[in-house]
Amino acid sequence: MTTIKDIAKLSGYSIGTVSRVINHNPDVSEEARMKIEQVIQQENFQPNSNAKQLKQQSSSAITIIVKGYENMFFEGILERVQAILRDSGEEVAVAFLDEYANEVQYALQLCTAKKPKGFIFLGGNLEFFKQDFARIDVPCVLLTNTAESLHLPNLSSYTTDDRLAGYQVIEYLIKAGHREIGIIGGSASKVGSQVGFRRMQGCLEAFQENHIPYNEETNYEPSRFSMQGGYESTQRLLKKNPKITAVFAIGDTIAIGAMRAIRDMGLRVPEDISVIGYDGIEYSRYCVPRLATVHQDTDALARKGVEDLLLRLNYSHPVTHEDVPFQLVEGESVAAPRDH
Amino acid sequence: MTTIKDIAKLSGYSIGTVSRVINHNPDVSEEARMKIEQVIQQENFQPNSNAKQLKQQSSSAITIIVKGYENMFFEGILERVQAILRDSGEEVAVAFLDEYANEVQYALQLCTAKKPKGFIFLGGNLEFFKQDFARIDVPCVLLTNTAESLHLPNLSSYTTDDRLAGYQVIEYLIKAGHREIGIIGGSASKVGSQVGFRRMQGCLEAFQENHIPYNEETNYEPSRFSMQGGYESTQRLLKKNPKITAVFAIGDTIAIGAMRAIRDMGLRVPEDISVIGYDGIEYSRYCVPRLATVHQDTDALARKGVEDLLLRLNYSHPVTHEDVPFQLVEGESVAAPRDH
DNA sequence: CTGAAAGCGCTTACAG
DNA sequence: CTGAAAGCGCTTACAG
């Protein structure tokens, strides 16, 4: 293996100077830089990251923490994030956690064990960030939730405007003629920091503004972000409230389960029950019927998140909190209710 | 941060002995071991992996290479593999590659750059392994393809018996009454080492044994492992051969695209065209109609692959090549052809 | 069974 | 602008 020593010998400079060239230290003569870079090129030299990290007392890996299994939406972002990071030459570690696990606690643990140089959270519960994030001292980015209100010094966040999107979904269903609308997904709305809470807030606003009654008891059912969760919750919801004509599943994965449940109850989508999802995963464009949904801009989320992290990793750059645009896709799964 | 030095001081032994305890070296007195382990416990000491790896000249990360994007089947395995590895305290890096990329070349690159201590390949082209794998000297496991015939000294493999499963799929369709069967997916069958080739082999055997004509020109269409690939290929296939009454998509993701394409051509599944997939992803149980498919045992694949790797990483353990059982799931997407 | 010591490949004050 | 040297935290012959 070629080491910095070889490069030093070959270039005629000391390893100190070679190290400076590698790390873009400005205190190197143009001449030395040229020569050393040429040798590095020619030898195809890669600095040993273990040695580097040992000195710098940190690991080279950026860790991506994904909340929830079988979450196709997050997996789409994950793939993008990983690809961009890889192209930037960064090492990427990935951890999948249960959607109810404490991701900040987990990150904290990793910090003492492996000292990653940064984190990207795919999904996150603000409550956990409020409690424990202060002890994390590496740059972090939260995707699909906003941490603006927390004012943490090393946490950026990028998200869809969930409140607005939730509002538009309900408005859309109301305009289609629905009055008895069910909502599925997320934990009980009291838990103010889970994904889905802001979506729910937007929904409530839309109900109020349109004077449509909404009763959490009869029109809401919590669900995990999974097909099975959606399946079971939908059955419970429609059993306890048979008047419902439209269902808003706050994740496409949930919506898939919902559509299957409706079908298994002998009803049809959208003729008997309309369904609208959230996320805009690829599958929403292929299922039968095509799913109405809120399409989140996976690409922008991934790109902005990574750019932000890289910037803050390498320079002193302020944290950012930004909404990325979304799009309500009409699909084929929403129709006017039967009676209208 | 507590280091091995602190533990040495606190326990009254030298750092050498502490290191031996950490690494389960048998040449340590019971007394020393007890005392040192107690101090490690009490201080919650984690050895610095960078220092360790620097000495041992390898990185601590096990790298998982996933071939193909939006491959829900691989993502299911990935999540399992990652979780098991994490519970074993291993660091896990992940790389998603295009399904046609050269994964061995990529692994080779990583070997010089980061020196991972092992690889798990999710999907792999045997051709690439044949060409370049010899230069990889860390333990590797290939999942969903068999490398038995390659006789590589550090490559185990676990897979479904694709040939047999392919055989059973065609047999099943024939028993259902189909004579004009289309196959979608994989590269041209000449490329003998891609996923899908062995599935195809099984299909051909079944056709022959049952004296059903099969013509690659008119009954086959290649496709990427993606919904869009499946969608487009199915349209091409059914246009060039309208007599087809059943389609075998060699991946569920492809099958999803196929079902959508059939629908968009004004036909119904399974009334007009039967569809059967491969993989048994979760979604196959939720789509409408439920997808007939070959259910691969994700869990066994993940578990056996990881166990094998860990064993070979920590002890001298021989490579293994094993088939895991599969199951043909009938679903709702296959029916007798119209004319029968 | 144990300790002292060399060394893994790098970075970074320090001195010049 | 450059080099010599210390040191990051660990492992592992070596000697005893």
Side-chain angles (χ1 to χ4, degrees):
Chain A
M1 217 194 61
T2 55
T3 70
I4 197 172
K5 229 184 207 160
D6 303 316
I7 304 298
K9 204 167 296 169
L10 254 27
S11 66
Y13 286 89
S14 73
I15 58 173
T17 302
V18 173
S19 173
R20 286 184 197 102
V21 169
I22 292 168
N23 294 291
H24 303 104
N25 184 320
D27 298 339
V28 178
S29 68
E30 194 55 29
E31 198 190 333
R33 180 179 312 285
M34 297 275 283
K35 177 64 186 165
I36 290 170
E37 272 176 350
Q38 178 245 307
V39 175
I40 287 177
Q41 198 83 51
Q42 155 197 320
E43 294 297 303
N44 200 0
F45 168 66
Q46 294 271 12
N48 179 311
S49 57
N50 285 131
K52 177 170 194 154
Q53 291 153 39
L54 176 57
K55 265 312 277 189
Q56 297 181 151
Q57 297 289 63
S58 88
S59 141
S60 69
I62 293 173
T63 297
I64 307 174
I65 297 186
V66 186
K67 279 200 84 175
Y69 299 98
E70 289 169 344
N71 185 322
M72 291 185 255
F73 176 61
F74 283 164
E75 271 154 14
I77 304 184
L78 172 62
E79 288 174 2
R80 296 285 311 125
V81 166
Q82 188 280 144
I84 305 175
L85 245 20
R86 173 155 55 82
D87 290 348
S88 324
E90 300 291 341
E91 199 171 340
V92 181
V94 177
F96 293 90
L97 258 44
D98 186 86
E99 72 177 272
Y100 295 132
N102 187 328
E103 64 277 9
V104 180
Q105 208 77 64
Y106 179 72
L108 228 31
Q109 231 174 279
L110 278 189
C111 277
T112 65
K114 323 256 183 191
K115 299 200 176 301
K117 66 180 181 188
F119 286 99
I120 294 181
F121 294 92
L122 260 44
N125 184 333
L126 290 193
E127 210 51 54
F128 298 145
F129 282 80
K130 218 176 287 177
Q131 287 164 17
D132 295 317
F133 189 83
R135 288 156 58 203
I136 295 186
D137 53 2
V138 294
C140 296
V141 171
L142 172 60
L143 257 27
T144 73
N145 205 157
T146 179
E148 185 154 24
S149 61
L150 269 40
H151 301 291
L152 267 357
N154 45 196
L155 181 63
S156 285
S157 63
Y158 295 87
T159 183
T160 294
D161 185 341
D162 283 323
R163 203 202 45 72
L164 180 61
Y167 181 90
Q168 290 189 6
V169 164
I170 298 303
E171 197 180 40
Y172 172 62
L173 292 177
I174 292 173
K175 278 208 179 118
H178 295 279
R179 293 296 172 268
E180 202 62 56
I181 296 169
I183 299 183
I184 293 178
S187 326
S189 49
K190 300 109 201 169
V191 182
S193 313
Q194 287 278 32
V195 170
F197 176 65
R198 288 181 311 142
R199 294 175 196 175
M200 190 67 84
Q201 276 186 309
C203 295
L204 294 180
E205 276 177 48
F207 283 128
Q208 280 187 348
E209 283 191 21
N210 290 276
H211 310 291
I212 304 285
Y214 168 81
N215 179 343
E216 194 176 301
E217 286 298 310
T218 55
N219 293 60
Y220 171 78
E221 196 61 48
S223 170
R224 279 191 158 257
F225 275 77
S226 71
M227 299 182 202
Q228 206 193 336
Y231 186 87
E232 291 167 1
S233 306
T234 302
Q235 287 195 318
R236 276 198 298 275
L237 180 68
L238 294 181
K239 256 171 216 158
K240 78 180 178 188
N241 186 351
K243 289 190 296 179
I244 284 174
T245 60
V247 168
F248 173 31
I250 70 167
D252 284 350
T253 314
I254 299 174
I256 292 168
M259 292 208 287
R260 184 70 245 181
I262 290 166
R263 191 59 185 264
D264 284 348
M265 294 173 85
L267 302 169
R268 307 185 79 86
V269 178
E271 292 82 350
D272 299 308
I273 310 261
S274 292
V275 174
I276 183 165
Y278 200 104
D279 288 343
I281 61 176
E282 198 198 6
Y283 176 69
S284 65
R285 302 196 307 275
Y286 287 91
C287 57
V288 181
R290 287 185 176 86
L291 184 62
T293 188
V294 172
H295 184 266
Q296 301 199 65
D297 192 342
T298 321
D299 218 71
L301 250 14
R303 199 168 28 73
K304 291 189 184 226
V306 173
E307 268 171 19
D308 181 312
L309 190 68
L310 257 23
L311 236 41
R312 292 195 289 133
L313 235 31
N314 298 321
Y315 313 93
S316 77
H317 200 261
V319 300
T320 312
H321 301 279
E322 195 181 312
D323 284 350
V324 303
F326 63 90
Q327 211 182 340
L328 200 152
V329 177
E330 305 207 349
E332 308 166 339
S333 62
V334 171
R338 265 278 158 79
D339 344 345
H340 291 242
Chain B
M1 216 193 63
T2 54
T3 69
I4 196 171
K5 231 184 204 159
D6 303 316
I7 304 299
K9 205 167 297 170
L10 254 27
S11 66
Y13 286 90
S14 72
I15 57 174
T17 303
V18 173
S19 173
R20 287 183 196 102
V21 169
I22 293 169
N23 294 290
H24 302 104
N25 185 319
D27 298 339
V28 179
S29 69
E30 194 54 30
E31 200 190 331
R33 179 180 312 286
M34 297 275 283
K35 177 64 187 164
I36 290 170
E37 271 174 350
Q38 178 245 309
V39 176
I40 288 177
Q41 197 83 50
Q42 155 198 320
E43 294 297 303
N44 201 359
F45 168 67
Q46 294 269 11
N48 179 310
S49 57
N50 286 131
K52 177 169 192 155
Q53 291 153 39
L54 176 57
K55 264 315 277 189
Q56 295 180 156
Q57 297 288 64
S58 88
S59 141
S60 69
I62 293 173
T63 297
I64 307 175
I65 297 185
V66 186
K67 280 199 83 175
Y69 299 98
E70 290 169 343
N71 185 322
M72 293 185 254
F73 176 61
F74 283 164
E75 271 154 12
I77 304 184
L78 172 61
E79 288 173 3
R80 297 287 311 124
V81 165
Q82 187 279 145
I84 305 174
L85 245 18
R86 173 155 55 82
D87 291 348
S88 324
E90 301 290 341
E91 198 172 341
V92 180
V94 177
F96 292 90
L97 259 44
D98 185 86
E99 72 177 272
Y100 295 132
N102 187 327
E103 64 277 7
V104 181
Q105 207 77 63
Y106 179 72
L108 228 30
Q109 231 173 280
L110 278 189
C111 278
T112 65
K114 324 258 184 189
K115 299 200 177 301
K117 68 179 181 188
F119 286 98
I120 294 182
F121 294 91
L122 261 44
N125 184 333
L126 290 193
E127 209 51 53
F128 297 145
F129 283 80
K130 217 176 286 175
Q131 286 163 17
D132 296 316
F133 188 84
R135 288 156 58 202
I136 295 186
D137 53 2
V138 293
C140 297
V141 171
L142 171 60
L143 257 26
T144 73
N145 205 156
T146 179
E148 184 154 23
S149 61
L150 267 41
H151 301 293
L152 267 357
N154 46 195
L155 181 63
S156 284
S157 62
Y158 295 87
T159 182
T160 294
D161 185 342
D162 283 322
R163 202 200 47 72
L164 180 60
Y167 181 91
Q168 290 188 7
V169 164
I170 297 303
E171 198 179 40
Y172 173 61
L173 292 177
I174 292 173
K175 277 203 179 122
H178 295 279
R179 293 296 172 269
E180 201 63 54
I181 297 170
I183 299 183
I184 293 180
S187 325
S189 50
K190 300 107 199 170
V191 181
S193 315
Q194 287 280 33
V195 170
F197 175 66
R198 287 180 311 142
R199 295 176 196 173
M200 190 67 82
Q201 276 187 308
C203 294
L204 295 181
E205 277 177 46
F207 283 127
Q208 280 186 348
E209 284 191 20
N210 290 275
H211 311 292
I212 304 284
Y214 167 80
N215 180 343
E216 194 177 301
E217 287 297 308
T218 56
N219 294 59
Y220 171 76
E221 195 62 46
S223 169
R224 280 190 158 258
F225 275 77
S226 72
M227 299 182 201
Q228 206 195 334
Y231 186 88
E232 291 167 1
S233 305
T234 302
Q235 287 195 318
R236 276 199 298 274
L237 180 67
L238 294 182
K239 254 171 216 159
K240 77 181 180 188
N241 185 351
K243 289 190 295 179
I244 284 174
T245 60
V247 169
F248 173 29
I250 69 167
D252 284 350
T253 314
I254 299 174
I256 292 168
M259 292 208 288
R260 184 69 247 183
I262 290 166
R263 192 59 185 265
D264 285 348
M265 293 174 86
L267 301 169
R268 307 186 78 87
V269 178
E271 293 83 348
D272 300 308
I273 310 261
S274 292
V275 174
I276 183 164
Y278 201 105
D279 287 344
I281 61 176
E282 198 199 5
Y283 176 69
S284 66
R285 301 196 307 275
Y286 287 90
C287 56
V288 181
R290 287 186 177 84
L291 184 63
T293 188
V294 173
H295 184 266
Q296 301 199 63
D297 192 341
T298 320
D299 218 71
L301 249 15
R303 197 167 30 71
K304 290 189 184 226
V306 172
E307 268 172 19
D308 181 312
L309 191 67
L310 256 24
L311 236 42
R312 290 195 290 134
L313 235 32
N314 299 321
Y315 313 94
S316 78
H317 200 259
V319 300
T320 312
H321 301 279
E322 195 181 312
D323 285 351
V324 302
F326 63 91
Q327 212 182 341
L328 200 152
V329 177
E330 303 207 351
E332 309 165 338
S333 62
V334 171
R338 265 278 157 79
D339 347 344
H340 291 243

